[in-house]
């Protein structure tokens, strides 16, 4: 039991399965036999096309060539998310990645902005963010290696949009080249070791038996091993995030792809729009208690840029997290480990962080309890912090007339979120909890965008004379504007570097 892991079976070939197989093959090399089993008949969830900037770290681990990756997945670039009608109809803001302005003497830029706004000479906060301004002008480029280190162009934060099917196919090619064996087939049942209850093997409908030391459950919502076999339990968060269904449909692309994801609030949820090179992905995430499937489909189809490329595909989910994502010799990743709606494109990030957590705590054959406990504790904490950030978008709204939005406004929220809102409302302060996924700039943009305006700014800001503050605000604006002018249109950047 103290021996090293010699064989791993990845159960499932969606985004989670192939990300796990690719990363494990790269890191573990020849020392461990990796097999992936998937069923074409069952298929994958087929969505999950918007990401966050962290994915570039995963690509770096895999030593993936970015231009090739974007080309192969019909990808585009993403500078942030535009939220339309969320605080109230007609209002719009962008949650841009990266920084806003620049900080002075440990004070974040938005504190200076709050004072300038009070004095009447600040523009919208987005005017001081390269990502937000570039996104709204449809411009994009990757960081310029020849830009001065203090230029915003030297360090541009961005993510990707891609075709989920092509992404899994791309990673499959990568993993198979590094020795991962793929088995096509449907798992019929699982065999446990009688002495310790560890999974010994899975048996396919064909009768073939697949054994391994460690199992990675990437079987999607069903959680074939982690739940159906090991009954790890599920914490349901529907009372905080009441959307439980989605309809997804692609449509024809009209016009150049925007360098951002769009999220538009609707009667009982929201609609996403994800621009790719060859098509645009769309979906309506909604609460079935407030909207029928037919109404959701009609609303979705009435709000597409171009002709729908098929019928809307229904998806059902229960928001929450698996109580133990690692149990015995099974580690669940992806939808098998829990689900939060794609409002901030966090699921693929959580697969990535699950993989890196597993690699940091990589076990021997006994999968010692202390490793499992730490993995589960870290996973729970990460999910709870993201959960709070998502609830924020729903809870702080001033949309009148829709019972769904009223319910979100009036619902009790977690204490951790209530404290964050109260602190920001008082002095515009935010305290990042350890290494939580979303940092100050994200929280500030969403809190302001949703309509929370702090009553005061940080007292230290008054150390800067008003004239200097005017000059500072204007110079940040000028720098951001001139940088955006220097950036090419998003479509031109793709055509030049990574057109499919
Ligand atoms: C509406 C919606 C929108 C989303 N949008 C985003 C987004 O924009 N950004 C983001 O980061 N995430 C998003 N996600 C989440 C994202 O889609 C998933 O995290 C990602 O696709 C990973 O899915 P998966 O691989 O865990 O599961 P799946 O894609 O469901 O794959 C499960 C795999 O298990 C296999 N399998 C299951 N049972 C068996 C069996 N008995 N035998 C053999 N094989 C089996 C299946 O064949 C399949 O290969 C979204 C999710 C939903 C529901």
């Amino acid at each position: 039991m103290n021996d090293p892991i010699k064989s791993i079976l990845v159960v499932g070939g969606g985004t989670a399965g192939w990300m796990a197989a690719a990363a494990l093959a790269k890191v573990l090399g020849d020392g461990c036999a990796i097999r992936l089993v998937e069923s074409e008949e069952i298929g994958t969830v087929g969505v999950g096309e918007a990401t966050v900037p962290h994915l570039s770290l995963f690509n770096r681990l895999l030593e993936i060539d970015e231009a090739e990756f974007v080309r192969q997945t019909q990808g585009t670039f993403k500078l942030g998310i535009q939220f339309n009608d969320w605080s109230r109809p007609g209002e719009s803001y962008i949650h841009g990645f990266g920084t806003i302005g620049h900080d002075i003497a440990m004070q974040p830029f938005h504190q200076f902005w709050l004072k300038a706004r009070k004095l009447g000479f600040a523009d919208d906060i987005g005017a001081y963010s390269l990502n937000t301004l570039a996104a709204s002008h449809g411009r994009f480029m990757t960081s310029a290696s020849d830009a001065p280190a203090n230029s915003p162009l030297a360090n541009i934060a961005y993510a990707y949009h891609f075709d989920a099917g092509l992404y899994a196919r791309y990673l499959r090619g990568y993993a198979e080249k590094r020795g991962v064996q793929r088995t096509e087939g449907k798992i019929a049942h699982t065999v446990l070791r009688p002495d310790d209850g560890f999974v010994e093997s899975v048996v396919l409908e064909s009768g073939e038996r697949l054994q391994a030391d460690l199992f990675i459950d990437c079987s999607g919502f069903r959680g074939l091993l982690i739940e159906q076999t090991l009954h790890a339990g599920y914490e349901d968060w529907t009372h905080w995030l009441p959307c439980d269904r989605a309809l997804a449909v692609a449509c024809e692309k009209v016009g150049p792809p925007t360098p951002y994801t769009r999220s538009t609030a609707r009667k009982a949820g929201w609609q996403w729009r994800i621009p790719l090179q060859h098509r645009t992905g769309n979906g309506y995430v909604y609460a079935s208690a407030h909207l029928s499937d037919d109404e959701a489909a009609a609303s979705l189809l009435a709000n597409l840029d171009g002709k729908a490329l098929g019928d809307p595909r229904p998806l059902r989910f229960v928001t929450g997290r698996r109580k133990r994502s690692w149990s015995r010799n099974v580690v669940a990743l992806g939808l098998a480990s829990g689900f939060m709606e794609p409002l901030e494109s966090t699921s693929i990030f959580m697969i990535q962080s699950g993989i890196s957590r597993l690699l940091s705590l990589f076990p021997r054959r006994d999968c010692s309890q202390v490793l499992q406990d730490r993995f589960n504790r870290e996973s729970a904490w990460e999910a709870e912090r993201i959960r709070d950030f998502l609830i924020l978008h729903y809870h702080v709204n001033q949309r009148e007339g829709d019972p769904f939005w009223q319910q979100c406004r009036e619902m009790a929220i977690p204490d951790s979120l209530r404290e964050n809102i109260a602190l920001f409302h008082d002095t515009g302060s935010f305290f990042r909890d350890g290494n939580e996924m979303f940092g100050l700039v994200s929280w500030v943009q969403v809190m302001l965008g949703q309509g929370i305006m702090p009553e005061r700014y940080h007292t230290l800001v008054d150390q800067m004379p008003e004239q200097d503050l005017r000059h500072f605000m204007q110079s940040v604006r000028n720098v951001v504007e001139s940088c955006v002018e220097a950036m090419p249109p998003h479509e031109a950047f793709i055509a030049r570097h990574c057109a499919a």
Side-chain angles (χ1 to χ4, degrees):
M1 290 302 279
N2 203 20
D3 294 340
I5 300 274
K6 286 283 181 211
S7 57
I8 298 177
L9 182 70
V10 178
V11 173
T15 300
W18 284 114
M19 280 178 80
L24 291 169
K26 174 78 169 78
V27 173
L28 302 178
D30 294 339
C32 185
I34 302 170
R35 178 173 294 278
L36 182 146
V37 56
E38 65 176 319
S39 157
E40 269 173 27
E41 188 192 321
I42 294 175
T44 67
V45 71
V47 279
E49 309 204 313
T51 64
V52 288
H54 308 65
L55 194 67
S56 62
L57 296 175
F58 187 72
N59 287 353
R60 223 172 292 155
L61 169 76
L62 265 50
E63 297 181 274
I64 280 175
D65 177 70
E66 181 177 78
E68 179 64 10
F69 155 73
V70 173
R71 192 175 300 126
Q72 296 276 342
T73 59
Q74 294 274 3
T76 64
F77 296 92
K78 170 177 174 184
L79 291 165
I81 305 175
Q82 182 185 60
F83 289 95
N84 289 343
D85 304 334
W86 271 80
S87 62
R88 64 175 64 163
E91 296 279 321
S92 176
Y93 67 95
I94 290 182
H95 166 197
F97 304 134
T99 54
I100 306 179
H102 64 87
D103 305 347
I104 296 185
M106 310 238 323
Q107 278 312 310
F109 176 82
H110 77 274
Q111 291 289 358
F112 297 93
W113 177 83
L114 286 173
K115 178 167 180 184
R117 187 180 173 277
K118 266 199 164 52
L119 295 175
F121 56 82
D123 211 323
D124 188 89
I125 188 92
Y128 306 90
S129 150
L130 177 78
N131 280 51
T132 297
L133 203 65
S136 52
H137 284 74
R139 292 180 176 252
F140 178 80
M141 63 187 252
T142 52
S143 305
S145 53
D146 55 352
N150 62 355
S151 162
L153 294 179
N155 191 11
I156 301 176
Y158 62 90
Y160 312 97
H161 302 118
F162 49 60
D163 179 313
L166 295 179
Y167 184 53
R169 192 187 301 169
Y170 177 81
L171 290 177
R172 174 178 166 185
Y174 176 100
E176 286 183 329
K177 248 188 239 157
R178 283 157 186 80
V180 173
Q181 302 285 316
R182 175 185 179 273
T183 299
E184 168 62 35
K186 209 168 171 184
I187 296 170
H189 66 271
T190 307
V191 180
L192 297 183
R193 293 200 305 239
D195 48 336
D196 57 9
F198 276 37
V199 173
E200 188 253 357
S201 57
V202 297
V203 181
L204 306 187
E205 280 182 347
S206 63
E208 188 180 355
R209 176 186 286 252
L210 303 173
Q211 271 181 316
D213 297 333
L214 182 68
F215 292 80
I216 313 294
D217 186 350
C218 299
S219 62
F221 288 127
R222 50 176 59 78
L224 206 59
L225 304 185
I226 197 75
E227 193 59 51
Q228 293 185 11
T229 307
L230 297 182
H231 312 293
Y234 198 77
E235 200 174 305
D236 184 337
W237 288 337
T238 312
H239 52 294
W240 285 318
L241 292 165
C243 291
D244 56 355
R245 291 191 190 176
L247 289 169
V249 70
C251 74
E252 280 175 357
K253 174 189 162 198
V254 290
T258 52
Y260 56 86
T261 310
R262 180 179 297 152
S263 162
T264 306
R266 300 264 181 247
K267 186 176 166 202
W270 60 280
Q271 180 169 335
W272 81 73
R273 176 184 174 281
I274 300 176
L276 303 180
Q277 290 190 35
H278 59 319
R279 62 167 169 78
T280 301
N282 309 275
Y284 189 170
V285 176
Y286 58 100
S288 60
H290 292 277
L291 196 74
S292 72
D293 298 339
D294 288 346
E295 282 177 294
S299 168
L300 176 62
L301 292 171
N303 287 291
L304 302 179
D305 294 352
K307 197 168 142 243
L309 301 171
D311 293 327
R313 216 158 39 81
L315 295 142
R316 291 180 178 206
F317 48 83
V318 179
T319 296
R321 69 170 190 90
R322 197 70 63 201
K323 285 185 181 155
R324 280 172 297 129
S325 292
W326 184 347
S327 176
R328 299 180 200 164
N329 60 339
V330 173
V331 178
L333 296 172
L335 301 174
S337 69
F339 181 67
M340 279 182 277
E341 53 166 275
L343 188 54
E344 286 281 355
S345 319
T346 42
S347 286
I348 293 172
F349 163 76
M350 290 174 80
I351 298 170
Q352 175 185 344
S353 73
I355 292 169
S356 66
R357 197 171 300 125
L358 171 62
L359 287 170
S360 320
L361 297 168
F362 200 73
R364 291 175 179 270
R365 285 189 63 207
D366 62 350
C367 290
S368 67
Q369 193 61 44
V370 66
L371 295 177
Q372 295 181 39
D373 290 346
R374 175 50 73 101
F375 183 95
N376 291 331
R377 201 166 75 229
E378 298 284 332
S379 306
W381 178 84
E382 175 178 84
E384 284 164 11
R385 303 275 50 77
I386 292 173
R387 174 203 69 193
D388 280 11
F389 189 55
L390 299 191
I391 298 171
L392 168 72
H393 297 64
Y394 282 102
H395 179 61
V396 185
N397 81 78
Q398 299 122 59
R399 291 178 58 97
E400 296 296 335
D402 293 322
F404 169 80
W405 291 98
Q406 185 179 350
Q407 176 192 328
C408 292
R409 205 163 46 237
E410 292 173 357
M411 70 188 171
I413 56 172
D415 290 345
S416 42
L417 175 59
R418 203 160 29 75
E419 283 164 20
N420 274 346
I421 292 175
L423 183 64
F424 187 74
H425 190 250
D426 183 46
T427 42
S429 300
F430 172 78
F431 219 79
R432 190 178 197 163
D433 191 349
N435 205 20
E436 72 177 296
M437 180 188 176
F438 291 104
L440 176 133
V441 174
S442 295
W443 278 83
V444 165
Q445 289 177 91
V446 174
M447 288 199 269
L448 290 174
Q450 291 294 137
I452 309 174
M453 189 50 69
E455 288 176 349
R456 295 172 287 183
Y457 52 84
H458 197 290
T459 166
L460 286 179
V461 167
D462 282 332
Q463 288 183 350
M464 183 185 280
E466 188 181 322
Q467 205 42 43
D468 291 1
L469 179 63
R470 274 181 193 275
H471 181 253
F472 173 56
M473 298 302 291
Q474 191 56 50
S475 69
V476 169
R477 249 202 91 141
N478 293 346
V479 168
V480 168
E481 273 174 11
S482 60
C483 286
V484 170
E485 268 168 34
M487 294 168 82
H490 181 214
E491 193 170 45
F493 182 89
I494 292 173
R496 174 137 189 237
H497 298 283
C498 43

